[in-house]
Amino acid sequence: MIPALVTLCGPLAAFALIGLLPPLRRAGRPAALLSIAGIAVAALASGIQAVPYFRGVAAPATYEFLWAPLTGAPSIRFGLLVDGLSASMAALVALIALLVQVYSLAYMASEKPASLGRYYAYQAFFAFAMLGLVLSHNLLQTYVFWEMVGLGSYLLIGFFWERPEAGRAALKAFWTTRLGDVGFALGILVLWGAAGTFTFTELFAKVGGGAVAGSALSLGLAGITLGAMGKSAQFPFHVWLPDAMEGPTPVSALIHAATMVAAGVYLMVRVAPLLSHAPELMSAIFAIGVLTAFLAATMALVESDIKRVLAFSTVSQLGFMMAAVGSGGAGAAYFHLLTHAFFKALLFLTAGSLIHAVGSNDLFKMGRLARAMPVTAACFAAGALALAGIVPTAGFFSKDEILASVLAGGHPLGFALLVLTAGITAFYIGRAFFLAMLGSHDAEGHAHESPAAMTAPMAVLAVLALVGGALAPSIPRLFAGTIAPPAFEPETAPVFVPILGTLAALSGLALSWLAYQRRSFDPGAVRRAVGPVATLLERRYFVDDAFELVYRRAYLGLSSVVGWFDRYVVDGLVNAATWMTWLVAGRLRGMQNGRVQDALYAVAAGLVLLAWLALGR
Amino acid sequence: MTAGALLLVAAAVFSIGLFGVLARRHAIGVLVSIELMFNAVNLAVAAIAWSRGLVAGVVLVLFGIAITVAEIAIGLALVLLAARVRKTSVLDDLDTLRG
Amino acid sequence: MRDLAFYALAVILLASAAAAVTARSLFRAAFALAAALLATAGFYLLLAAPLLAAVQILLYTGGVLTLIVFALVVTGAPAGGAALRRPLPAALLGVAVFAALASGTRGFGAGEARGGLDSGAAVGTLLFTDYLVPFELLSVLLLGAVFGALLLARKDRLE
Amino acid sequence: MSVMPHLLSMTVLAPFAAALVLFVLPERAGRLIRTVSVLGAAVPLLTSILALRHYDAALRGFQFVEAYPLVPRLGLSWHLGVDGIAVPLLLLTAIIHGTAVFTSWTTTERAKEFYLFLALLVTGVYGVFVSLDLFVLFLFYELAVLPMYVLIGVWGSSMEIEGRGPFGSLFRKIGVGGKDYGAMKLTLYLLAGSAFILVGILLMWVAGAGPMGRPSFDYLALSHVTFSGGLGRSIFLLFYVGFGVLAGIWPFHTWSPDGHAAAPAAGSMMHAGVLMKLGAYGVLRLGFGLLPQAAQQLAWLVGLVAVINIVYGALGAGWQKDIKYLIAYSSVSHMGIVMLGLATLTSVGLAGSVYQMVAHGIMTALFFTLVNLVYHKSHRRDMTAMGGFARSMPGIATFFVIAGLSSLGLPGLAGFVAEFLVFLGAWTSAHPWWAIPGVVGAMITALYVLRAVRTIFLGPARPGDEAPPDAHGVEWVSLVALSSCLVLLGVWPRLLLDPLNAGVADLLARFGS
Amino acid sequence: MDWSAAALEIGTLALAVGVLALDLIAPSREPAARRTGLFAIAAAGLAALLLVSLRLPAPAAFTRAYVQDGFALLAKRVMLAAALAALAGMAPYATARRIADRAGETIVLVLFATVGAMALVSAREYLTLFVAFELLSLPLYVLAAVEKERGASPEGAIKIFLFGSVSSAILLLGIALLVAASGTTFWDGPPAAGRTAVLGAALVLSGFGFKIAAFPFSLWVPDTYQAAPTPILAFLSVAPKAAAVAALFRIVHEVFEPAGIASAPWIATLAALAMIFGNLLALRQHDLKRLLAYSGVAQIGYVLLALAAGTRDAPGLALFFFVAYLVSNGGAFLVVAALECAGSEATLHGVRNLRRRAPVLAAALLVFLLSLGGIPFVLGFWGKMYVFLAAAQAGLYPLVGLGAVLAVVALYYYLNVARAMLTVEEDGDSVPVAPLHLAAILACALAVTGLGLAPQLLANPCLRAADTLMAPSPITKTQSR
């Protein structure tokens, strides 16, 4: 348990110090080093902690304390859960965070010291929140950290706050994920109402014992799934992720590729033992996953911003994972989560390196960078191969497992679509590689290789992306060390699965090579040929527009209706009442005309009134 | 002749006096009307005393007369004052205090 | 005979009262008032209360009439114009008050009257026994009225 | 138990004594005036911390009780005591008052009177929280409401609201948006509400005299009387509407935006931070505490209106251009959560409701401090005329974000704990669907709060603008103190939940199942 | 015959005679000294009488028809205090307004009226009641016009005179009808039952309506107040109302109730009318005296609630109300008087910036207005609340609600004055205040705040005193003539 606490405390201490000591924050570099030290401690501790789980020799451990005592209902306990899943995930998060923070030291070097301090404060905060999320032992605490990583994301996306787009993107990210979190919160409520607990272990036990009504379980899980969809940018909540690329690139690597966006999948893997009790929901998750994977990949085809290509790719890959969860292959999903973290973080970091060199995100402004930046190019290639799923990179193994589990789950159509998506994936990443690294013209500016602080993390990740497939045997061991170990049956996937997958990937790569390197055909012509489809893709299936419309019409419209109603009707009545009183008072005052005999009428009238009261009834 | 009939006459005079108070333009006319009202009340008291055999009623009437005279004295003094200061005895002209 | 006198006095009283409140000339109104007061004195006689009648005639009618005529002379008679203001609503209210009073006193004193108001001595006794306190208060009141009237009427010393 | 024999009397009388001392101090004694004010705030802070520390949650019930008869014939007495519900609210009041004193540290114009009226107001607030005699409670209630008139009228700020169309001339005539209008509206509206309360208390006094054998305003005595049927419901409604006006229940909330917008910083802090809670506390203490049957029968109404409040307030906030109005509408929305917690009639919901009182109190006080800082530095209240302020006032921006995050229920801050407890309560109450608009309301809050953050602080600075400076000196005190409280209460809810549970359990003990 | 029961009246009369004599014999060469002496003697005498009143036994009966129970005694203290306030205010005012040559008469008339007021609360018999009523009226007609050179004076005086005379006639007629029903002028005789008595009761109430200034018998009030010398209003606005309400309590209890005359609904109607019209009419006044006049009408509405309630506690609570009303309303008029003496007009405009021009006056006026508005911790709050309590005891909840809501309307105009005072401007002359005014105002303010903080000091005696009214002690019942 102590390593887990150390894991959490490292970044927390760094954040607290940087946050509470303005001079430290304003100094910039010391703050950065402090943050790196914190995350390094966390990485070390979590690494040590994870090893036994990878070897399959550790049992789950929990630590909890009373957080909110309640009467009339079970008190809320918070705590840490260390098991195969959380320990390995924590190690992953800490590792990548460490690499990214080191990388940022060089990448963000041109920022003003105060800005840099702020950046590292956010980074430390995010690391703490993400680790907390991973190590949570109950749903509510997960939600707590879930929102906190959302905040970290918001802050980091909007890091360049003076750019209007950055502020806008940050808002969009926060709002969209929050929309899903409405479901998450309600889901927690529903589950709590049905099971009376937030804790995973108790929840699993109760559900397993049949103590929870099926409908409530489905409803609650559906809510939680909505939350996961928001966080993991599943269709139609994917809209925020491409825009989130307004943030600094290392942030994109850490948050919007490797860790936070994967939290949704992580959560689904975590609750997978419950999901099996809600088969309809499983199907829905599968459908969403496949759809997301495919649509996002298609959108990546027409994107020219390198980071957005990668962002769509992330969405697509998360779709793969979701599909795996939906088809019952939580292990496959988690495996892909790990490998994806390696290669996608790597891709983003290399993209950052490119952008750093070129000063632009636009693929078409890059070219022949491989010559000037060999390390970067090599790393990019490694990442691209892993993403495309070429043997023997990490991506190959994990994607293969997903495809196998999908097929085993009895979704042949989905399987086909995913294979197709794999092809598209290979094509767009190939396109990016050829445009940026090789190509026919030189990039603008004077490209140069990035400093060691940047290339070293890239190199580490590149290695991991290439050999990460070796983790495959560890996955069942990890799962055996969770609180609800699944009955793993060594799946024997049909032999055609990896072959199909590899074929699709190779053909995708080949096609991109033909189009962008060999120039065998003009991609522009293709685009013109399929005009409406291309427009559809370029407009991102109009989902963003739909959100915009809802925001403008539904929210702002309703808002002004309510505002108007309040000012002129509700308050209008109040004002009208006072105004009437005012007028009546004035009229009465006018009747007091100073003529005493007119006033004496009142005496006579009063006399008559009293006499009537006395006698009349 | 009954006390009831006398009361009715008194009531009529009282009402006539009240009419005068409400309708007379000149302040002294109003004072005259007030006298009528008091006189009507005195008459009513006397009628009641007569009916119930109540000597105290006579005392009441005497008091009433005394007080009426006192009132009229003050009232006339006020009217004269108004005539002196405001140069008018018409009540409707005394309407600077209003609202 | 008593009834006849009653009716006659009632007619005189009502008529003079009406004249007092409507007469264009205030002098005429004052004398109509005097007539009404005298008619009332007649009623007092009918009620066998000679003390009241005497006081009514000597003190009341005389005193009031003197005061009013004096005031009329000092202020000068009203210089024309209507005697009445808004007579209609005033009349309506008068009628309403009369109706209320008539309704409230309906059925009172229908039976035989007890009378017995003729003893001046009994009045005197009452004044100094039962009604000593109000009598004393009345004297204070009259004193106050004299002071008040003097204060209002006198020419002022200036400081 | 008996830490100090007159702990509560001291709490109430300390600010009053400060007011008296301020009354006789010369106007120019600026430092002395502030010292006295700080003392007047510090003593109650100390006593309320003591009360929190020494309140024995296991023992439950009212503690630190003091009782002296005043007018025995009428059943009037000076009867003080706090239960687990009042203790956190005392602390809230002390915190807000303390920070309000610091927030207005730079008030130089007629500082003596300012602090005097502030102290009077606070006296009333403490009095309401500790009184166990309904009449004395009412007395303090009115005392709490009134000084605001002067605070707004003298130290407030005006911003004309343009009426649209036919309302144009009318609005100008009434002076909508002006501080005189706001002050008068707030005062009269709230006192009109207190008329309902008065009738309710009197009904209770008279109806309770029968069963008790003597008239009494005593809370504990009255709590043994059952007011059933129509009478109970009538009294409940009177309390609900009367106190509800102050709690900002729809549709009686419109005093709040106009009043709070016009008020000076400390005024809005006290009013939105504490006084609105007074309304909710009144409904809780008098309505739910004394009339459990009627409360049970009418909980649906309370909940329904609360739900309207949450969504309506949040939507209304989105329309506002004036930043102060925005905060005021958000208060309307958040008070809906308080009332929703009450309506759940579950212990979790009730605890959450009171927690929300504290959380929202601190949060909104922080908001108003910030908004006033922004206003004083930039001389603007219209958000559309702001932008890029984060460059020159990064500190204010940071704290604004913290306050905003608490208001949208971000975990780790006090607002989340409160809202979540309320939603838990709502979900397990007789009307589970209430939780849905509640959660949605929190979502809408995220929309308008973050939009405001973006409009005011983010983006490029407007060309030609003089950059408004950041906070400095004493101004930081309240910002740091309040946001620390938000964090503390966000991560360590036990601090308040222990006494709260005791208080809620007492209250619910009278509710049959 | 217990002379202590009439000691205050006799003492006041003696004081009046003394002042009168002094006024006649004192040399007029030194008018200032003479005036000061007269006022000083009168004030000292009244203060002495107030002290004496503390030692008087109650209940005590002067005659069968003239009693001084605890209730009456307390009411008389209110009147003596009101007279004292009026004279204290009048002394500097008379100088400032150049009417000091009328000091003697003024004092005597005030004292006479005080005797009338005191007699009114002690009377248990119609004749005494009527004469006392008149004795409380006539001097006031004159006092209203004591600044006779001012054009408004005779107008205001004529207005109160006409209302008063008509009301006297109505009252006398009512008394006649009640006597007709009971056959005696004494209240301890046979009950006055029957239709005639009911009408008589209504007429008596109408007649008293003038004295207590209940709408619609109150239309003279603002005009007369505006014209009358302001210090006199400290008396005029309190003593007649207190005396008449106290007398009404006694009549209702001793006459109407035994006869089965249900007057409560009528009184409740008057209460509602007074509250509604008083407050609405006050809403848009600019002249402080008019504003206070109308607000006084509204206040009377509140106290009529207690009268309509008629519970055991009601008279005591009403007395409490009047004490509160005395100090707050009297104090407010004294502030207005002080303003007028300084040459500042007593309007909303005239009090602008008073906060700077005369801080003490402003603070005091604020306290008085808050008290009238019924704000906690000043005396008026308790007064208002206590009458509401009384009304609630009798189940008059709608009226309590109405009163409470209208109190909010009332607060609007009180706060308007407060706002004008607190508005700080650069200009504005400072207001010099006569020491005597200052002392009287401060005394009132002290009472308003001090008793406001510890109302039980006043409430408990008031309640005890009321018991003697509601349950007359054996002495008063069996006392023979």
Side-chain angles (χ1 to χ4, degrees), chain C residues 75-142:
Chain C
T75 58
L84 298 179
R85 61 192 290 288
R86 297 190 201 166
L88 196 61
L92 280 177
L93 272 174
V95 170
V97 168
F98 176 73
L101 295 180
S103 151
T105 53
R106 198 175 55 215
F108 173 80
E112 188 56 37
R114 298 219 190 120
L117 307 182
D118 48 352
S119 164
V123 172
T125 314
L126 275 182
L127 270 183
F128 289 100
T129 54
D130 273 7
Y131 299 120
L132 182 64
V133 174
F135 187 65
E136 293 301 331
L137 288 174
L138 182 65
S139 56
V140 176
L141 172 74
L142 293 177

Side-chain angles (χ1 to χ4, degrees), chain E residues 105-307:
Chain E
E105 287 98 329
T106 310
I107 294 169
V108 170
L109 288 172
V110 168
L111 293 178
F112 278 4
T114 311
V115 173
M118 292 196 286
L120 201 58
V121 296
S122 278
R124 292 185 63 222
E125 183 266 331
Y126 291 121
L127 216 53
T128 317
L129 183 81
F130 181 64
V131 180
F133 187 95
E134 284 298 321
L135 185 53
L136 183 51
S137 292
L138 278 181
L140 293 178
Y141 304 159
V142 181
L143 285 171
V146 94
E147 287 186 76
K148 53 189 182 181
E149 296 81 4
R150 283 179 61 210
S153 278
E155 181 179 340
I158 283 179
K159 281 174 177 171
I160 185 178
F161 167 79
L162 287 179
F163 272 83
S165 299
V166 171
S167 298
S168 298
I170 293 172
L171 174 68
L172 191 52
L173 188 57
I175 286 175
L177 294 181
L178 282 170
V179 170
S182 70
T184 170
T185 65
F186 288 90
W187 294 355
D188 51 5
R195 196 175 168 80
T196 313
V198 171
L199 179 62
L203 292 185
V204 167
L205 197 58
S206 305
F208 269 94
F210 154 74
K211 194 117 281 184
I212 58 178
F215 192 88
F217 309 104
S218 64
L219 295 184
W220 58 275
V221 172
D223 296 358
T224 303
Y225 280 20
Q226 201 180 348
T230 311
I232 292 300
L233 297 179
F235 182 82
L236 176 58
S237 69
V238 179
K241 294 181 187 179
V245 168
L248 276 177
F249 263 112
R250 200 184 288 283
I251 296 176
V252 168
H253 181 61
E254 297 194 9
V255 178
F256 294 178
E257 276 174 18
I261 299 171
S263 58
W266 322 341
I267 299 171
T269 309
L270 286 185
L273 287 177
M275 289 190 294
I276 294 172
F277 285 97
N279 280 319
L280 284 182
L281 277 163
L283 204 56
R284 295 181 69 171
Q285 297 300 332
H286 302 292
D287 188 299
L288 284 192
K289 284 162 82 175
R290 290 190 80 82
L291 188 146
L292 286 170
Y294 281 121
S295 96
V297 173
Q299 302 277 352
I300 262 320
Y302 298 139
V303 87
L304 284 180
L305 280 183
L307 185 61

